[in-house]
mmCIF file of all heavy atoms in Angstrom:
data_model
loop_
_atom_site.group_PDB
_atom_site.id
_atom_site.type_symbol
_atom_site.label_atom_id
_atom_site.label_comp_id
_atom_site.label_asym_id
_atom_site.label_seq_id
_atom_site.Cartn_x
_atom_site.Cartn_y
_atom_site.Cartn_z
ATOM 1 N N ILE A 221 87.860 81.396 86.034
ATOM 2 C CA ILE A 221 87.985 82.644 86.715
ATOM 3 C C ILE A 221 87.172 83.710 86.015
ATOM 4 O O ILE A 221 86.510 84.539 86.614
ATOM 5 C CB ILE A 221 89.505 83.063 86.820
ATOM 6 C CG1 ILE A 221 89.657 84.440 87.459
ATOM 7 C CG2 ILE A 221 90.204 83.143 85.538
ATOM 8 C CD1 ILE A 221 89.806 84.403 88.939
ATOM 9 N N LEU A 225 84.259 85.987 87.684
ATOM 10 C CA LEU A 225 84.396 87.436 87.780
ATOM 11 C C LEU A 225 83.261 88.144 87.035
ATOM 12 O O LEU A 225 83.018 89.330 87.256
ATOM 13 C CB LEU A 225 85.759 87.889 87.294
ATOM 14 C CG LEU A 225 86.932 87.493 88.202
ATOM 15 C CD1 LEU A 225 88.244 87.932 87.585
ATOM 16 C CD2 LEU A 225 86.753 88.053 89.607
ATOM 17 N N LEU A 238 88.441 82.041 94.494
ATOM 18 C CA LEU A 238 89.122 83.291 94.243
ATOM 19 C C LEU A 238 90.319 83.441 95.207
ATOM 20 O O LEU A 238 91.361 83.996 94.874
ATOM 21 C CB LEU A 238 88.218 84.484 94.319
ATOM 22 C CG LEU A 238 87.184 84.568 93.199
ATOM 23 C CD1 LEU A 238 86.137 85.666 93.481
ATOM 24 C CD2 LEU A 238 87.837 84.821 91.832
ATOM 25 N N SER A 240 92.073 81.133 96.307
ATOM 26 C CA SER A 240 93.122 80.142 95.972
ATOM 27 C C SER A 240 93.788 80.406 94.660
ATOM 28 O O SER A 240 94.666 79.657 94.178
ATOM 29 C CB SER A 240 92.517 78.740 95.877
ATOM 30 O OG SER A 240 91.517 78.536 96.753
ATOM 31 N N THR A 241 93.494 81.529 94.036
ATOM 32 C CA THR A 241 94.011 81.797 92.671
ATOM 33 C C THR A 241 95.529 81.936 92.620
ATOM 34 O O THR A 241 96.139 82.420 93.554
ATOM 35 C CB THR A 241 93.429 83.093 92.061
ATOM 36 O OG1 THR A 241 93.406 84.071 93.092
ATOM 37 C CG2 THR A 241 92.034 82.871 91.515
ATOM 38 N N ASN A 242 96.086 81.573 91.425
ATOM 39 C CA ASN A 242 97.537 81.754 91.196
ATOM 40 C C ASN A 242 97.806 83.177 90.760
ATOM 41 O O ASN A 242 96.882 83.984 90.590
ATOM 42 C CB ASN A 242 98.084 80.699 90.177
ATOM 43 C CG ASN A 242 97.341 80.874 88.898
ATOM 44 O OD1 ASN A 242 96.729 81.922 88.613
ATOM 45 N ND2 ASN A 242 97.378 79.848 88.101
ATOM 46 N N VAL A 243 99.064 83.485 90.442
ATOM 47 C CA VAL A 243 99.434 84.883 90.142
ATOM 48 C C VAL A 243 98.639 85.453 88.970
ATOM 49 O O VAL A 243 98.073 86.510 89.024
ATOM 50 C CB VAL A 243 100.952 85.007 89.815
ATOM 51 C CG1 VAL A 243 101.357 86.407 89.386
ATOM 52 C CG2 VAL A 243 101.773 84.505 90.996
ATOM 53 N N GLU A 244 98.573 84.649 87.921
ATOM 54 C CA GLU A 244 97.884 85.145 86.717
ATOM 55 C C GLU A 244 96.419 85.478 86.933
ATOM 56 O O GLU A 244 95.912 86.547 86.614
ATOM 57 C CB GLU A 244 98.022 84.105 85.609
ATOM 58 C CG GLU A 244 97.644 84.592 84.206
ATOM 59 C CD GLU A 244 97.676 83.471 83.248
ATOM 60 O OE1 GLU A 244 98.482 82.516 83.437
ATOM 61 O OE2 GLU A 244 96.885 83.491 82.318
ATOM 62 N N ASP A 245 95.767 84.544 87.615
ATOM 63 C CA ASP A 245 94.334 84.699 87.879
ATOM 64 C C ASP A 245 94.084 85.802 88.925
ATOM 65 O O ASP A 245 93.078 86.525 88.834
ATOM 66 C CB ASP A 245 93.730 83.405 88.303
ATOM 67 C CG ASP A 245 93.487 82.507 87.091
ATOM 68 O OD1 ASP A 245 93.713 82.913 85.997
ATOM 69 O OD2 ASP A 245 93.041 81.321 87.339
ATOM 70 N N ARG A 246 94.980 85.917 89.872
ATOM 71 C CA ARG A 246 94.724 86.935 90.904
ATOM 72 C C ARG A 246 94.822 88.308 90.332
ATOM 73 O O ARG A 246 94.132 89.202 90.716
ATOM 74 C CB ARG A 246 95.591 86.693 92.128
ATOM 75 C CG ARG A 246 96.926 87.295 92.081
ATOM 76 C CD ARG A 246 97.697 86.988 93.429
ATOM 77 N NE ARG A 246 98.977 87.636 93.355
ATOM 78 C CZ ARG A 246 100.128 87.070 93.743
ATOM 79 N NH1 ARG A 246 100.154 85.865 94.247
ATOM 80 N NH2 ARG A 246 101.262 87.738 93.626
ATOM 81 N N ASN A 247 95.663 88.471 89.286
ATOM 82 C CA ASN A 247 95.730 89.806 88.618
ATOM 83 C C ASN A 247 94.422 90.186 87.909
ATOM 84 O O ASN A 247 94.012 91.306 87.899
ATOM 85 C CB ASN A 247 96.933 89.893 87.648
ATOM 86 C CG ASN A 247 98.250 90.007 88.471
ATOM 87 O OD1 ASN A 247 98.213 90.478 89.609
ATOM 88 N ND2 ASN A 247 99.341 89.553 87.826
ATOM 89 N N LYS A 248 93.717 89.130 87.443
ATOM 90 C CA LYS A 248 92.420 89.358 86.831
ATOM 91 C C LYS A 248 91.412 89.819 87.914
ATOM 92 O O LYS A 248 90.580 90.717 87.704
ATOM 93 C CB LYS A 248 91.923 88.147 86.155
ATOM 94 C CG LYS A 248 92.718 87.751 84.931
ATOM 95 C CD LYS A 248 92.199 86.463 84.243
ATOM 96 C CE LYS A 248 93.128 86.047 83.180
ATOM 97 N NZ LYS A 248 93.042 84.603 82.885
ATOM 98 N N LEU A 249 91.570 89.166 89.051
ATOM 99 C CA LEU A 249 90.633 89.564 90.197
ATOM 100 C C LEU A 249 90.956 91.021 90.560
ATOM 101 O O LEU A 249 89.999 91.784 90.794
ATOM 102 C CB LEU A 249 90.936 88.634 91.381
ATOM 103 C CG LEU A 249 90.399 89.022 92.753
ATOM 104 C CD1 LEU A 249 88.866 89.065 92.732
ATOM 105 C CD2 LEU A 249 90.885 88.041 93.804
ATOM 106 N N TYR A 250 92.216 91.414 90.676
ATOM 107 C CA TYR A 250 92.574 92.745 91.053
ATOM 108 C C TYR A 250 92.061 93.777 90.068
ATOM 109 O O TYR A 250 91.562 94.868 90.438
ATOM 110 C CB TYR A 250 94.062 92.913 91.248
ATOM 111 C CG TYR A 250 94.712 92.046 92.307
ATOM 112 C CD1 TYR A 250 96.086 91.876 92.429
ATOM 113 C CD2 TYR A 250 93.869 91.408 93.299
ATOM 114 C CE1 TYR A 250 96.631 91.059 93.414
ATOM 115 C CE2 TYR A 250 94.497 90.587 94.282
ATOM 116 C CZ TYR A 250 95.823 90.402 94.285
ATOM 117 O OH TYR A 250 96.392 89.622 95.287
ATOM 118 N N SER A 251 92.173 93.473 88.777
ATOM 119 C CA SER A 251 91.757 94.430 87.688
ATOM 120 C C SER A 251 90.226 94.637 87.807
ATOM 121 O O SER A 251 89.755 95.779 87.734
ATOM 122 C CB SER A 251 92.055 93.944 86.299
ATOM 123 O OG SER A 251 93.346 93.600 86.228
ATOM 124 N N LYS A 252 89.522 93.564 88.078
ATOM 125 C CA LYS A 252 88.088 93.607 88.136
ATOM 126 C C LYS A 252 87.675 94.497 89.341
ATOM 127 O O LYS A 252 86.825 95.331 89.286
ATOM 128 C CB LYS A 252 87.513 92.230 88.328
ATOM 129 C CG LYS A 252 86.009 92.146 88.596
ATOM 130 C CD LYS A 252 85.198 92.459 87.361
ATOM 131 C CE LYS A 252 83.750 92.544 87.751
ATOM 132 N NZ LYS A 252 82.834 92.564 86.620
ATOM 133 N N GLU A 470 104.396 86.435 103.267
ATOM 134 C CA GLU A 470 104.035 86.825 101.916
ATOM 135 C C GLU A 470 102.670 86.277 101.474
ATOM 136 O O GLU A 470 101.882 86.938 100.795
ATOM 137 C CB GLU A 470 105.134 86.351 100.952
ATOM 138 C CG GLU A 470 105.061 86.928 99.586
ATOM 139 C CD GLU A 470 105.936 86.225 98.592
ATOM 140 O OE1 GLU A 470 106.981 85.574 99.027
ATOM 141 O OE2 GLU A 470 105.631 86.222 97.396
ATOM 142 N N ASN A 474 99.320 88.305 100.359
ATOM 143 C CA ASN A 474 98.523 88.067 99.145
ATOM 144 C C ASN A 474 97.101 87.784 99.460
ATOM 145 O O ASN A 474 96.195 88.217 98.742
ATOM 146 C CB ASN A 474 99.148 86.935 98.322
ATOM 147 C CG ASN A 474 100.457 87.388 97.688
ATOM 148 O OD1 ASN A 474 100.636 88.630 97.399
ATOM 149 N ND2 ASN A 474 101.402 86.485 97.517
ATOM 150 N N LEU A 477 95.247 90.963 100.112
ATOM 151 C CA LEU A 477 94.942 91.727 98.880
ATOM 152 C C LEU A 477 93.726 91.053 98.190
ATOM 153 O O LEU A 477 92.811 91.693 97.718
ATOM 154 C CB LEU A 477 96.113 91.742 97.911
ATOM 155 C CG LEU A 477 97.287 92.681 98.283
ATOM 156 C CD1 LEU A 477 98.260 92.808 97.142
ATOM 157 C CD2 LEU A 477 96.841 94.070 98.698
ATOM 158 N N LYS A 478 93.747 89.722 98.168
ATOM 159 C CA LYS A 478 92.611 89.024 97.543
ATOM 160 C C LYS A 478 91.319 89.294 98.280
ATOM 161 O O LYS A 478 90.248 89.532 97.711
ATOM 162 C CB LYS A 478 92.856 87.517 97.480
ATOM 163 C CG LYS A 478 93.954 87.118 96.503
ATOM 164 C CD LYS A 478 94.200 85.600 96.592
ATOM 165 C CE LYS A 478 95.309 85.146 95.699
ATOM 166 N NZ LYS A 478 95.685 83.733 96.021
ATOM 167 N N ALA A 481 90.106 92.713 97.319
ATOM 168 C CA ALA A 481 89.542 92.742 95.940
ATOM 169 C C ALA A 481 88.144 92.054 95.882
ATOM 170 O O ALA A 481 87.217 92.577 95.283
ATOM 171 C CB ALA A 481 90.539 92.068 95.001
ATOM 172 N N CYS A 512 93.776 97.442 94.199
ATOM 173 C CA CYS A 512 92.839 96.378 94.064
ATOM 174 C C CYS A 512 91.601 96.577 94.932
ATOM 175 O O CYS A 512 91.052 95.653 95.509
ATOM 176 C CB CYS A 512 93.478 94.986 94.268
ATOM 177 S SG CYS A 512 94.315 94.745 95.802
#
Side-chain angles (χ1 to χ4, degrees):
I221 176 92
L225 291 178
L238 292 171
S240 325
T241 42
N242 61 18
V243 178
E244 192 187 328
D245 283 355
R246 84 178 183 225
N247 286 334
K248 292 181 189 157
L249 165 65
Y250 298 166
S251 307
K252 172 75 186 191
E470 193 192 334
N474 289 330
L477 288 189
K478 288 176 185 171
C512 58

